[in-house]
Amino acid sequence: MPWCPKCKCEYEEGVKLCADCKIELVDSLEDIIEWKPLIKTTEEEQIIQVKEYLEYSGIKNVKYEKIQDEDGEEEDQYYYAIFVTEKELEESIKFLKGYMLTKAEEKKEQENEEDDEEEEITNEYETENYNDDTALKDLKSSVYTFGVIGAALVVVSILSLLEVIVINFSNKYLFSGLLLAIGIAFVIVAINSAKRIGNESNKITNRDNDINKIIEWFGEKYNLDDFADKYELNFEDLDEGAIYYLVMDKLKLIISNQFVEMDKKIVNTASEIIYEKMNTQTH
């Protein structure tokens, strides 16, 4: 006997449509598929990808529908939903979780690649701190600060142990030992910083000498317009930022060809200084 797949009413043989639901009858209740919602979204492309993934994973009965969102703020607002059979619902949920996890990993990898590209672009224009001895001053300050405080703590701890000065503490040996340990640690930091001062000073001197060497070699031959004419750079319709990168790339190429072994950041710094000089001459 035929049955209505929606209202599950039984009909006599020969009847094709349900009188109430107006849909085709099926031969048996076993032919009725109980569709269960799996996922919904406003992105049709995403729904199609999920459907294809489920079918590829072996889910036999998958369909998606475009459904009007009656709760939406706008009229004619729709969403897309995927339905699977009740029998395959549990397995479909597992596959869906795997799909979402894979997509999340792909998104993370893409973000990491974009971050790497952005960092690479940044590094291409990374410069040194020309005529800047801040790092050296910081080291000297560390030597003085840690040295004075460390020495003071060592002296106080020794005087406390010798009972030259009295510190009201339940266990003076523990307290004095702690002060001594901290003081020695501070002194060690001061000594290590002092050792680095010479290396840092040489590094700063060599850095500035290399930058000056490049600047002196290039000279003050051009303003921006003359430079553009000589090397056939077209500034037309370019804003200041675009002109900067165009000129910088050309300067770095010229300097790198002349100073082959020079560190990239040194080349970038010299190029930026030369650009600023040319830009000043132009204005």
Side-chain angles (χ1 to χ4, degrees):
M1 302 290 288
W3 294 79
C4 175
K6 187 173 183 180
C7 65
K8 298 182 175 63
C9 289
E10 186 179 13
Y11 284 85
E12 295 181 357
E13 290 291 348
V15 179
K16 300 297 183 181
L17 292 177
C18 174
D20 297 322
C21 304
K22 307 301 182 185
I23 60 176
E24 290 187 6
L25 304 180
V26 295
D27 293 334
S28 170
L29 282 177
E30 294 180 358
D31 296 332
I32 298 175
I33 298 177
E34 293 285 347
W35 293 102
K36 296 293 181 180
L38 179 67
I39 184 177
K40 68 177 184 178
T41 178
T42 57
E43 301 292 332
E44 184 178 13
E45 183 179 351
Q46 182 183 8
I47 282 292
I48 293 174
Q49 289 176 354
V50 173
K51 179 178 180 293
E52 291 175 349
Y53 181 84
L54 292 173
E55 291 173 338
Y56 176 80
S57 300
I59 302 300
K60 296 179 179 178
N61 296 291
V62 188
K63 69 175 183 176
Y64 84 94
E65 295 180 1
K66 181 180 180 181
I67 303 171
Q68 186 169 6
D69 189 355
E70 297 178 355
D71 298 327
E73 297 179 358
E74 300 178 3
E75 295 183 2
D76 298 329
Q77 187 170 341
Y78 294 87
Y79 66 86
Y80 300 90
I82 279 186
F83 296 86
V84 296
T85 61
E86 185 174 17
K87 185 187 299 185
E88 295 179 304
L89 179 60
E90 185 176 348
E91 190 176 10
S92 298
I93 291 174
K94 293 179 181 178
F95 286 133
L96 178 62
K97 289 180 178 178
Y99 173 83
M100 300 303 290
L101 180 61
T102 301
K103 284 297 180 181
E105 291 176 351
E106 289 177 356
K107 182 178 179 181
K108 186 176 180 180
E109 288 179 3
Q110 183 178 359
E111 290 175 350
N112 289 338
E113 289 176 0
E114 290 174 355
D115 290 341
D116 290 342
E117 290 175 1
E118 184 176 344
E119 183 178 352
E120 185 177 344
I121 292 172
T122 302
N123 290 340
E124 281 296 316
Y125 297 91
E126 187 177 2
T127 60
E128 290 280 5
N129 297 319
Y130 179 60
N131 283 339
D132 184 355
D133 59 352
T134 303
L136 186 59
K137 289 178 180 177
D138 289 342
L139 280 175
K140 290 179 179 179
S141 176
S142 296
V143 172
Y144 176 79
T145 302
F146 283 96
V148 170
I149 294 176
L153 290 175
V154 170
V155 171
V156 169
S157 63
I158 293 174
L159 292 178
S160 175
L161 288 171
L162 297 175
E163 298 185 348
V164 174
I165 60 175
V166 178
I167 298 176
N168 293 324
F169 197 78
S170 58
N171 189 330
K172 72 172 184 179
Y173 295 106
L174 176 62
F175 182 73
S176 299
L178 182 61
L179 284 181
L180 181 61
I182 295 174
I184 291 173
F186 273 44
V187 171
I188 291 173
V189 172
I191 292 172
N192 288 335
S193 296
K195 290 179 180 178
R196 291 172 55 196
I197 287 176
N199 291 334
E200 187 65 28
S201 179
N202 290 334
K203 180 181 176 182
I204 291 173
T205 300
N206 292 335
R207 176 200 69 194
D208 291 350
N209 286 342
D210 286 340
I211 293 172
N212 288 330
K213 184 191 300 183
I214 295 173
I215 295 172
E216 290 173 3
W217 168 80
F218 191 86
E220 298 184 3
K221 309 172 187 176
Y222 312 104
N223 58 34
L224 275 181
D225 293 333
D226 293 339
F227 184 81
D229 290 339
K230 178 171 177 60
Y231 293 101
E232 299 180 350
L233 303 180
N234 185 8
F235 292 164
E236 187 177 354
D237 298 328
L238 296 182
D239 59 22
E240 188 173 344
I243 292 173
Y244 168 82
Y245 285 110
L246 181 62
V247 174
M248 281 289 291
D249 288 341
K250 190 63 180 180
L251 283 171
K252 289 192 297 180
L253 179 62
I254 295 169
I255 294 170
S256 297
N257 289 338
Q258 178 66 27
F259 299 90
V260 179
E261 301 296 328
M262 194 66 73
D263 181 80
K264 181 184 292 185
K265 289 195 290 186
I266 297 292
V267 173
N268 291 348
T269 305
S271 299
E272 190 167 85
I273 294 171
I274 293 169
Y275 172 83
E276 291 174 355
K277 286 185 176 183
M278 292 195 299
N279 196 28
T280 302
Q281 293 173 16
T282 302
H283 291 91

